[in-house]
Amino acid sequence: MPRTTKKIARPLVTGNWKMYKTGEEACQFLETLAPLLEESQVDVSLAVPYTAISLAAQKVAELNASIAIGAQNMNDASEGAFTGEVAARMLKSAGATFVILGHSERRHIFHETSDFINKKVKKALQEGLQPILCIGETGEERENGETEEILKTQLHESLQDLSKEEMKQIILAYEPVWAIGTGEVATPEMAEEAHLLCRELVASGWGKRVAKALLIQYGGSVKPENAADLLVQENINGLLVGGASLQPETFYEILQQYEGITV
Ligand code: PGA
């Protein structure tokens, strides 16, 4: 029985490869995935390691595939003496069209603050890279009833001073930290509640029209088995997939889950 939902746009499913795959491995992956996507009802993008961006972007062009290639982080400066860092301009010239910013692994392992992330968001927009801004609460914060407050603070601080026009370029990803890489996915109801809250927060800051058009992805232990129940939710417009995006077959199975859902 097809399920129905009122969706604002085609969903966007993004693979976040984290620190996996060389350029050559990325190309092999694309050769398997690209032919499967010809009739795809979802938009697809892949956030690959820096060193794979160039080769992956070239491969996508060669295969004439509609898969956007992006990065998983960047620095907020244009250039400078920042050993080991990468600038937005460099990502663009390598072939990236988007960048994940504020991922919880960046916030928690590398101690990135929302203020720093806000600077990166602004820089990415300035350079024409579309940001996927991640926000999400830890397990402890959820248990303490702080989810709403955390999402509100992270969203406002990370998107501080953005104009309506800039806000229209943003993709938001709700990623509960306790669900990332743990196999413990948020229930569709829990995720929907958080997505609705995010949309309301954006409506109060940037207006209803901007909020309605905002694409909000869910991320955290997405698998072929749970993707449909998440995608059917009214305020879930896509998925950010880590572990299950590393094998083209599994990733494709996730993309296929949207087919049973009537828009
Ligand atoms: P996961 O990662 O799907 O492996 O839980 C999601 C993410 O970190 O974006």
Side-chain angles (χ1 to χ4, degrees), residues 3 223-233 257-258 261:
R3 292 183 271 188
K223 307 235 160 3
E225 300 76 43
N226 56 34
D229 287 340
L230 291 161
L231 281 171
V232 80
Q233 301 299 319
Q257 298 310 310
Y258 191 64
I261 301 172

Side-chain angles (χ1 to χ4, degrees), residues 16 18 103 105 175 179-181 219-222 240-243:
N16 172 14
K18 310 194 179 187
H103 189 279
E105 283 150 21
E175 294 210 305
I180 296 177
S221 294
V222 173
L240 185 52
V241 188

Side-chain angles (χ1 to χ4, degrees), residues 14-18 100 103-105 134 173 175-184 218-223 239-246 254:
T14 303
N16 172 14
W17 283 358
K18 310 194 179 187
I100 295 178
H103 189 279
S104 69
E105 283 150 21
C134 304
E175 294 210 305
V177 181
W178 48 271
I180 296 177
T182 57
E184 194 190 341
Y218 167 82
S221 294
V222 173
K223 307 235 160 3
L239 304 167
L240 185 52
V241 188
S245 73
L246 292 171
I254 290 175

